[in-house]
Amino acid sequence: GTLGCASVTVGSPIVPLGSAVTASCTVQRELCRGLEQGKVRIRWMLDNKLVAGSQRQGPGGTEVSNLTLPRFNHTQARLWCCVEWNGTKQRVGMAEIRAGYPPAKPLNLSCVLNLSDYGLTCQWEQGTDSHLPTSVVLKCTGSRAQEVTGCTPREGHSHCTVPRRLLQLYRQMEIWVSATNALGTAESEHLCIDPMDVAKLDPPTLQSIQSIPFQTDCITLAWDLAWGTEHMELQCELRYRAPEDSAWALVTGISGRAGTAQRCGFLFGTQYHFQMRCRRNSASALAHWSEWSPCRSYTTHEKAPTGK
Amino acid sequence: GTLGCASVTVGSPIVPLGSAVTASCTVQRELCRGLEQGKVRIRWMLDNKLVAGSQRQGPGGTEVSNLTLPRFNHTQARLWCCVEWNGTKQRVGMAEIRAGYPPAKPLNLSCVLNLSDYGLTCQWEQGTDSHLPTSVVLKCTGSRAQEVTGCTPREGHSHCTVPRRLLQLYRQMEIWVSATNALGTAESEHLCIDPMDVAKLDPPTLQSIQSIPFQTDCITLAWDLAWGTEHMELQCELRYRAPEDSAWALVTGISGRAGTAQRCGFLFGTQYHFQMRCRRNSASALAHWSEWSPCRSYTTHEKAPTGK
Amino acid sequence: TELSGDQDFQLFLQRNLEFTRKIRGDVAALQRVVCDTLQLCKEDELLLVRQHLDIAQAPLEQCHKRTFQAETCFSQIRAGLHIYQGSLATIQALLPGHAGLVETLQLDMANLSSNIQQQMEDLDLATVTYPTENQDPLPTFSSHFHHQVGGFFILANFQRFLETAYRALRHLASL
């Protein structure tokens, strides 16, 4: 097709919301078959609303109309350049304008390593909508800034999973979120973590609870660690309480691999509920506790009649 | 690895259930380190049951044992060739045998065209299990035997959907199911249908029911046809009854696109329930009725006091 | 013509009258999308710009004449469907969010064309076989705006083409 009889130019097709928009429409009479005679009256429409421009003669017999919209507060609109022709309004040029904000800084980035497939799932808060097409990507790199890998969240989601093959295990990785649109880029805080530090463990399973040594107020518990954690140094916590107790008693610093623990000071003939949880014995404050194990109850034996 | 010291051959690895199976095991003494001295006694095991074979000397110092199982009635079994060695039974050769039937003829093939995505879903009855790996495929072709397309049911299912892009609409297509296994192939009846003839319509929606013309025992109903059927010639049926009526009154041959219908002979001051259904006005006997529309009730007005 | 009594021919006509109505519905849906998303709705507001665009327009005069020949009319319908099949790629590029609607339209057009071809062959009429993949070069537009207006006119012309084809089929069915 030939060059059109009108062309519309705008300062920028993407502007900050509320800022000014300038546009100009140039009509080349000799290129507009049918417009040769008579006065060319240029008119503007913002979507379907008439807006006033200022028309003047341009170079080489062209007619030029300039338009300024002081505060453009549509996130998306079409600016139409029109001319009168045979009593009809003819649309002869158009420009699409989008307005919004630079991307908000992604906040509260946190990650969890799923031990079943060793995928690292990270989530974050996207912040206020920028109203503009924004590409959001989770980036991660081994600490010596080798190649940057990561993952891309699905449209409208603010979480994604870095597959095992893109991860460096047992070593610090730098992980952050980067959001980019036409008005700028924003990055979240950078997390420096060893993916293993954020491994999400399944809880241990309390196998047996017995009054051992016999005739004492002591109890011995035995547990199995979650599948897939056999090679890990785990620190665990035990909590127990009798139904009428208001708070749990907490026993910390239990070595996971020990497999058993003994605790004394229990009342006789009383039912107690026990739960246990573990996490990797790593320095990182980010290490996630597993959920508490399913509750196991145990009733201590009656006190033996003394002085028999 | 070196060629084994024994090799087992069978007449056919897949046989009709209950038929005879022949096998032979050839032991080449010099290839069996440790079997050089003494007599080679070949014995057979069917899975873990001893079975007797007949042993003879074969060419080039080999020992050959032949086995015939007159009626092989396992659907799947392993035939082991064993030799005595240092007082132990050594498994030196094996053959897997499967038995079953040629595929049964797929029956009761029927298809429905889903108007939301224009996928043609066909289902059939697979018939008795052949016990053998059987590949089942739905095949369809435009009547001038162009390219055969179709779909493959998921494992263990006897239905699948031919996507729109593989269909010819508004024209006869030939559709059949083909089942193939090692013992043969079976085909269902061939359906010759225009996919549109088996379109499954959503029911119409009864929009309004009024006593028009006024002061008569007549009622005028208006309805909307289902989305996506605007271009179709539909024939519809209306049924109505008063709660105490035992049977529905049925009005047939209503043109769907008419959008309204009038019916007289209603009792005054009586509540009636109305339902409507439609199908494509095509010659094919296969055309499916839509479900009945949701029920709408309407109470006719009281009879006007006459002779006022 | 001697076809009118032929039972198969009548079935072909009934089926493909409905098919043409469906395709016209598909095109109307795309026209609504162009109006809603591109704000291009009224043809008489775009006449000036149209003069600068070379938009495919398939001839259908063989189906206009009162005493038209089924063979020549059918051939022109098929040729037109082939031309518009190619132009739809322009629409696909304009409306990435509605690729499904465009693909449905292209599948329906291909089926209608092969339905007509098979019917012509059944009537021992000469037919042309078009390559499935369309080799015609895509029209180029000097601006994004012209591309959008081009898309608008392709759909408008195609809708008129379908109305004429529909009237021709209905005329044959009424004989």
Side-chain angles (χ1 to χ4, degrees), chain C residues 9-28:
Chain C
F9 187 56
Q10 276 305 320
L11 184 58
F12 158 78
L13 289 174
Q14 288 314 321
R15 281 182 171 149
N16 289 286
L17 273 168
E18 179 176 310
F19 205 3
T20 308
R21 283 199 300 273
K22 175 184 191 302
I23 294 173
R24 284 170 59 190
D26 295 347
V27 174

Side-chain angles (χ1 to χ4, degrees), chain B residues 21-307:
Chain B
V21 164
T22 57
S24 88
C25 179
T26 306
V27 175
Q28 231 157 344
R29 186 193 293 271
E30 69 282 8
L31 288 180
C32 292
R33 243 174 281 120
L35 265 188
E36 293 78 1
Q37 286 72 28
K39 180 125 183 34
V40 171
R41 251 169 51 77
I42 301 176
R43 294 201 295 164
W44 292 90
M45 286 186 8
L46 182 57
D47 285 341
N48 290 319
K49 198 160 67 56
L50 265 175
V51 280
S54 63
Q55 189 171 332
R56 56 177 170 78
Q57 274 214 329
T62 61
E63 287 295 322
V64 177
S65 171
N66 290 332
L67 170 72
T68 299
L69 301 169
R71 283 180 42 74
F72 187 81
N73 47 29
H74 301 257
T75 59
Q76 189 164 3
R78 284 169 183 266
L79 204 51
W80 296 93
C81 173
C82 309
V83 291
E84 296 293 325
W85 183 64
N86 290 359
T88 62
K89 177 182 59 176
Q90 291 297 310
R91 295 171 189 244
V92 292
M94 183 275 292
E96 282 181 68
I97 300 176
R98 301 200 62 156
Y101 305 103
K105 174 178 177 173
L107 301 171
N108 298 338
L109 171 60
S110 73
C111 301
V112 168
L113 186 73
N114 173 335
L115 285 182
S116 59
D117 59 5
Y118 275 83
L120 185 70
T121 299
C122 296
Q123 61 182 13
W124 57 88
E125 281 151 33
Q126 200 45 59
T128 49
D129 180 5
S130 72
H131 304 299
L132 295 174
T134 304
S135 100
V136 180
V137 173
L138 181 88
K139 296 188 173 180
C140 67
T141 180
S143 44
R144 186 109 335 113
Q146 296 104 329
E147 172 225 6
V148 176
T149 62
C151 55
T152 304
R154 279 211 330 247
E155 188 60 35
H157 290 93
S158 50
H159 59 82
C160 66
T161 298
V162 184
R164 163 70 186 94
R165 58 186 166 68
L166 300 179
L167 291 177
Q168 298 274 8
L169 294 187
Y170 294 98
R171 199 169 76 185
Q172 294 296 95
M173 288 195 85
E174 211 178 327
I175 299 172
W176 70 98
V177 183
S178 167
T180 303
N181 67 19
L183 299 182
T185 291
E187 280 192 1
S188 70
E189 300 302 324
H190 285 221
L191 279 185
C192 250
I193 53 170
D194 165 5
M196 289 310 300
D197 284 346
V198 289
K200 176 70 178 159
L201 307 181
D202 285 336
T205 316
L206 286 173
Q207 286 301 353
S208 74
I209 307 170
Q210 295 162 317
S211 300
I212 295 174
F214 194 54
Q215 297 294 17
T216 67
D217 65 356
C218 301
I219 275 182
T220 299
L221 298 107
W223 61 83
D224 286 339
L225 295 176
W227 180 85
T229 64
E230 298 76 8
H231 53 285
M232 296 182 182
E233 296 284 351
L234 298 182
Q235 65 173 204
C236 302
E237 279 181 352
L238 173 72
R239 69 179 185 182
Y240 60 88
R241 66 188 175 99
E244 58 282 8
D245 292 347
S246 57
W248 292 92
L250 189 66
V251 182
T252 60
I254 299 172
S255 150
R257 280 151 61 103
T260 72
Q262 189 186 314
R263 184 76 187 173
C264 301
F266 289 91
L267 302 176
F268 291 101
T270 311
Q271 191 200 38
Y272 284 88
H273 299 304
F274 293 85
Q275 284 186 305
M276 199 173 194
R277 67 176 184 177
C278 301
R279 69 175 181 182
R280 274 183 74 252
N281 199 358
S282 86
S284 154
L286 293 169
H288 297 275
W289 282 104
S290 74
E291 301 301 326
W292 286 103
S293 68
C295 197
R296 281 222 37 179
S297 336
Y298 174 75
T299 306
T300 53
H301 57 74
E302 293 304 329
K303 186 159 176 31
T306 52

